[in-house]
């Protein structure tokens, strides 16, 4: 018997040794292959950045600068200086920061975070290169940066930004995996990450779009490269698991009520297995940032145990997304005169994606008008959002059809890919700002509502409830709703507020929004980046 035990133990040891050796061999072989493959390209990229930086510096001397260029004058001076003659030793880290964001030209809230993060990085480390891995191969660098400026009013320093175009983005599209979509997209992101590392291996790798598997892949291949995640929304959450038992009519996500029957049982087991796997891949991330308290709680629950086992000491920190609060404060007044200029308009700023629940908002608006015909004859609903692809365009078409069926097509306006000046104009004239997504991770559009002085009607869940539409001095800054009936009632309540009460709520909302300024984001982002820059000299 003891001989059997000894033989069994030796077999297990042999198998463990073989697995460890195979892992080491694969990591070494594949990692070294990618380093050799991208080494020449990295040298060319560095040379090109240096050339563009010199050209920009020379052009800056030859042409007059506008007042908006002050910060970039400092950056050009820092990039041209040195510790000895420029006094910039603390800012002279000049590595490559890789931002993994395959849909960087989408124009949504996630993209605002990306560009604000790059701006903060450029201003803190002027000599660093920001490389964006993107699948937007149909647009040039100049076109992307122009859209960033027009859509978000974010001005960047072009010479130190590099776009690396990926050819395998189809592997992270939901349409590629009609079944087992979560797992398929996550595994597909590994193909996209391999594509990215074949082009360039950065000194710091940051996922800003929610592809956690790419961070685990990076750590597997290149253990010394620090990794970071800015999590907008966990790929799976305990709330999603709970929604399987919910009524499909209660608005709790696209899979509400999908846990019934044998098919529901299989889905439940699959989601639980994926949640475990998602927790494992999050355990190796060096620095984790979330956009809200709601996201932080879920990421801590999912990633926390594996991070503790792997001795990751950096806490999961909330870094609220940047919102143009100061600009909105300057552009839009909140006083008795401005109150008279506002119209009975409900404004929704959200990408045209299924989870944003535009259809529920249309039904709620129709119900409100039907229930208050004499009072709501002049009420309108304006839907503003970006259209990323043909699926989004089809979605907008279907929403137009729904508005027609609900007999409100003349009272509903669709504004796709609106410019920032146009959005400002709508914020200035509207009365109510609405949000329909269940468990919205944060809600940049909701902060914009509050900063612009709109009365917010938001979903009774997620970031809008926990972080944004919160009481100020014991008084509300907006309303919560969950169902079509509740939304219709709150729409009417907000539109029928007496002027003095409405003005007081608008002022409280703006005060609350001051917690989400671009300056606050930049400071918090730089603090997290300092951890990563420090790790570049520690992890070997």
């Amino acid at each position: 018997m003891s001989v059997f035990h000894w033989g069994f133990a030796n077999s297990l040891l042999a198998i463990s040794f073989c697995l460890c050796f195979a892992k080491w061999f694969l990591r070494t072989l594949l990692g070294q292959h990618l380093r050799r493959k991208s080494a020449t390209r990295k040298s060319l990229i560095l040379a090109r950045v240096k050339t563009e930086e010199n050209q920009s510096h020379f052009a800056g001397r030859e042409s007059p600068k506008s007042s908006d260029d002050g910060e970039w004058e400092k950056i050009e001076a820092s990039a041209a200086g040195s510790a000895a003659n420029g006094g910039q030793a603390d800012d002279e880290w000049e590595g490559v920061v890789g931002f993994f964001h395959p849909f960087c030209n989408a124009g949504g809230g996630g993209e605002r975070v990306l560009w604000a993060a790059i701006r903060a990085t450029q201003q803190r480390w002027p000599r660093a290169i920001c490389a964006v891995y993107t699948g937007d191969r149909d647009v040039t660098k100049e076109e992307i940066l122009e859209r960033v400026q027009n859509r978000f009013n974010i001005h960047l320093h072009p010479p130190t930004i590099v776009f690396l175009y990926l050819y395998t983005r189809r592997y992270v599209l939901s349409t590629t995996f009609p079944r087992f979509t979560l797992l398929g997209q996550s595994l597909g992101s590994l193909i996209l990450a391999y594509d990215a590392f074949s082009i360039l291996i950065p000194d710091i790798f940051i996922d800003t779009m929610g592809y956690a598997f790419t961070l685990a892949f990076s750590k597997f291949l290149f253990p010394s490269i620090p990794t970071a995640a800015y999590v907008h929304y966990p790929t799976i959450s305990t709330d999603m698991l709970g929604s399987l038992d919910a009524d499909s009519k209660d608005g709790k996500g696209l899979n509400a009520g999908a846990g019934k029957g044998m098919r529901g049982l299989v889905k439940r087991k699959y989601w639980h297995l994926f949640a475990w796997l998602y927790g494992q891949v999050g355990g190796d991330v060096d620095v984790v940032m979330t956009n809200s308290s709601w996201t932080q709680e879920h990421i801590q629950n999912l990633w926390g145990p594996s991070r503790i086992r792997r001795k990751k000491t950096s806490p999961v920190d909330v870094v609220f997304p940047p919102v143009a609060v100061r600009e909105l404060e300057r552009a839009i007044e909140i006083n008795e005169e401005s109150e008279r200029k506002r119209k009975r308009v409900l404004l929704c700023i959200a990408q045209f994606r299924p989870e944003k629940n535009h259809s529920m908002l249309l039904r709620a608006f129709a119900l409100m008008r039907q229930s208050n015909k004499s009072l709501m004859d002049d009420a309108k609903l304006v839907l503003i959002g970006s259209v990323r692809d043909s699926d989004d365009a089809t979605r907008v078409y279907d929403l137009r059809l729904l508005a027609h069926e609900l007999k409100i097509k003349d009272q509903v306006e669709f504004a796709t890919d609106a410019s920032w000046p146009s959005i400002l104009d709508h914020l200035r004239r509207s009365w109510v700002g609405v949000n329909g997504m269940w468990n919205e991770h944060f809600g940049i559009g909701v902060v914009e509502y509050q900063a612009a002085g709109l009365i917010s009607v938001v979903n009774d869940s997620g970031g809008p409830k926990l972080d944004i539409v919160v009481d100020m001095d014991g008084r509300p800054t907006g309303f919560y709703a969950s169902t079509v009936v509740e939304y219709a009632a709150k729409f009417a309540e907000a539109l029928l507020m007496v002027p003095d009460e409405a003005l007081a709520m608008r002022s409280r909302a703006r005060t609350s929004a001051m917690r989400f300024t671009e300056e606050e984001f930049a400071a918090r982002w730089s603090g997290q980046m300092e951890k990563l820059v420090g790790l570049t000299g520690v992890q070997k």
Side-chain angles (χ1 to χ4, degrees):
M1 191 70 177
S2 61
V3 173
F4 171 78
H5 285 160
W6 273 106
F8 183 70
N10 287 334
S11 298
L12 287 179
L13 287 173
I15 292 173
S16 298
F17 175 79
C18 289
L19 289 174
C20 290
F21 178 78
K23 178 182 177 181
W24 172 84
F25 182 76
L26 179 61
R27 169 188 287 175
T28 303
L29 186 67
L30 191 56
Q32 288 182 353
H33 167 70
L34 289 171
R35 286 188 183 277
R36 286 194 300 269
K37 187 175 181 180
S38 65
T40 302
R41 187 176 286 107
K42 185 173 184 177
S43 298
L44 292 173
I45 289 173
L46 294 175
R48 187 176 70 190
V49 168
K50 185 176 181 180
T51 299
E52 290 185 10
E53 186 68 77
N54 290 336
Q55 290 174 345
S56 174
H57 187 62
F58 178 77
R61 289 181 173 181
E62 293 296 316
S63 60
K65 296 274 187 179
S66 69
S67 58
D68 292 334
D69 295 329
E71 286 299 320
W72 302 122
E73 286 181 345
K74 296 176 186 177
I75 286 181
E76 290 170 5
S78 298
S82 67
N85 59 27
Q88 296 289 330
D90 188 47
D91 301 330
E92 282 192 354
W93 184 78
E94 51 185 359
V96 177
V97 184
F99 291 87
F100 191 78
H101 206 105
F103 297 87
C104 76
N105 201 40
E111 287 65 58
R112 177 186 283 277
V113 170
L114 168 68
W115 303 121
I118 289 177
R119 177 173 61 183
T121 302
Q122 288 186 321
Q123 292 176 346
R124 177 64 180 83
W125 291 277
R127 299 171 70 90
I129 296 173
C130 296
V132 181
Y133 299 100
T134 178
D136 296 306
R137 295 183 291 112
D138 58 338
V139 287
T140 65
K141 172 179 176 177
E142 291 73 22
E143 290 172 333
I144 293 174
L145 295 183
E146 182 180 6
R147 188 179 190 199
V148 171
Q149 186 171 327
N150 292 337
R151 175 67 179 85
F152 303 118
N153 197 31
I154 291 177
H155 299 256
L156 299 170
H157 187 56
T160 54
I161 299 178
V162 176
F163 290 94
L164 305 174
Y165 295 97
L166 308 177
Y167 287 80
T168 53
R169 192 172 70 176
R170 65 185 181 278
Y171 291 110
V172 296
L173 297 175
S174 59
T175 52
T176 305
F177 304 98
R179 298 288 183 270
F180 299 100
T181 307
L182 292 178
L183 182 61
Q185 287 180 297
S186 296
L187 295 178
S189 70
L190 300 180
I191 299 174
L192 200 58
Y194 183 87
D195 189 5
F197 295 140
S198 297
I199 301 172
L200 176 70
I201 298 172
D203 298 299
I204 294 173
F205 184 63
I206 305 176
D207 166 49
T208 51
M209 211 174 166
Y211 296 108
F213 281 60
T214 65
L215 298 169
F217 189 50
S218 174
K219 190 61 70 175
F220 172 75
L221 294 175
F222 318 110
S224 64
I225 294 179
T227 57
Y230 187 94
V231 186
H232 296 274
Y233 197 86
T235 306
I236 194 165
S237 67
T238 53
D239 284 358
M240 285 176 62
L241 296 172
S243 73
L244 294 175
D245 296 321
D247 192 311
S248 60
K249 297 180 180 179
D250 67 1
K252 291 188 175 180
L254 301 176
N255 289 282
K260 300 174 183 177
M262 181 57 66
R263 185 174 181 179
L265 179 62
V266 172
K267 191 178 191 73
R268 188 187 308 277
K269 295 294 184 183
Y270 158 55
W271 274 16
H272 277 281
L273 177 62
F274 182 81
W276 174 84
L277 187 60
Y278 183 63
Q280 297 306 303
V281 300
D284 266 332
V285 184
D286 293 306
V287 171
V288 181
M289 296 166 272
T290 66
N291 64 344
S292 69
S293 302
W294 182 89
T295 308
Q296 180 193 45
E297 179 183 354
H298 284 277
I299 289 297
Q300 285 175 333
N301 290 337
L302 291 162
W303 291 6
S306 60
R307 287 178 61 76
I308 291 172
R309 287 196 303 270
R310 294 166 194 177
K311 299 180 179 179
K312 294 296 180 182
T313 57
S314 178
V316 177
D317 285 330
V318 176
V319 178
F320 288 128
V323 186
V325 174
R326 301 292 185 190
E327 181 180 355
L328 288 166
E329 182 184 29
R330 291 191 298 267
I332 300 174
E333 295 182 340
I334 298 179
N335 51 40
E336 293 181 358
E337 182 181 352
S338 65
E339 195 72 7
R340 289 191 290 270
K341 297 178 181 177
R342 291 189 183 272
K343 307 297 182 183
R344 288 180 186 256
V345 174
L346 295 96
L347 177 66
C348 176
I349 302 176
Q351 287 182 313
F352 288 104
R353 305 203 310 261
E355 63 271 21
K356 297 300 184 179
N357 224 347
H358 289 92
S359 59
M360 182 184 69
L361 298 180
L362 287 171
R363 290 187 171 90
F365 178 68
L367 178 60
M368 180 203 70
R369 286 181 54 83
Q370 184 180 2
S371 304
N372 302 271
K373 289 182 179 179
S374 60
L375 298 175
M376 299 297 174
D377 188 57
D378 59 340
K380 290 188 63 176
L381 173 64
V382 177
L383 305 177
I384 295 179
S386 58
V387 174
R388 301 166 299 173
D389 49 32
S390 59
D391 289 341
D392 286 356
T394 301
R395 208 164 286 121
V396 173
Y397 177 76
D398 291 339
L399 290 171
R400 291 181 186 274
L401 289 179
L402 178 60
H404 182 77
E405 292 171 8
L406 295 171
K407 300 180 180 179
I408 55 173
K409 66 181 183 67
D410 293 332
Q411 289 77 39
V412 178
E413 177 185 341
F414 291 85
T416 59
D417 296 317
S419 65
W420 179 243
S422 175
I423 292 173
L424 273 179
D425 187 53
H426 280 288
L427 288 168
R428 188 179 292 111
R429 292 185 291 109
S430 299
W431 189 278
V432 176
V434 302
N435 154 271
M437 181 177 171
W438 174 69
N439 272 341
E440 175 84 82
H441 38 85
F442 179 67
I444 286 179
V446 178
V447 179
E448 291 175 342
Y449 300 156
Q450 292 205 315
L454 274 68
I455 306 298
S456 297
V457 178
V458 302
N459 197 274
D460 191 15
S461 64
K465 178 183 180 180
L466 296 176
D467 292 321
I468 305 174
V469 185
V470 296
D471 288 356
M472 288 293 295
D473 301 324
R475 302 292 303 280
T477 58
F479 300 96
Y480 309 129
S482 297
T483 65
V484 169
V485 173
E486 289 177 2
Y487 269 98
K490 295 303 179 182
F491 287 169
E493 186 175 349
L495 288 173
L496 295 175
M497 290 180 72
V498 297
D500 288 347
E501 290 182 3
L503 185 58
M505 183 175 284
R506 297 188 202 283
S507 298
R508 290 195 299 271
R510 170 165 286 181
T511 301
S512 176
M514 291 302 156
R515 297 171 292 137
F516 309 111
T517 63
E518 294 171 313
E519 295 84 358
E520 182 67 18
F521 171 82
R524 288 179 176 270
W525 175 269
S526 296
Q528 299 298 317
M529 274 294 300
E530 285 175 358
K531 298 178 185 178
L532 294 167
V533 171
L535 288 172
T536 59
V538 174
Q539 296 185 357
K540 297 295 182 184

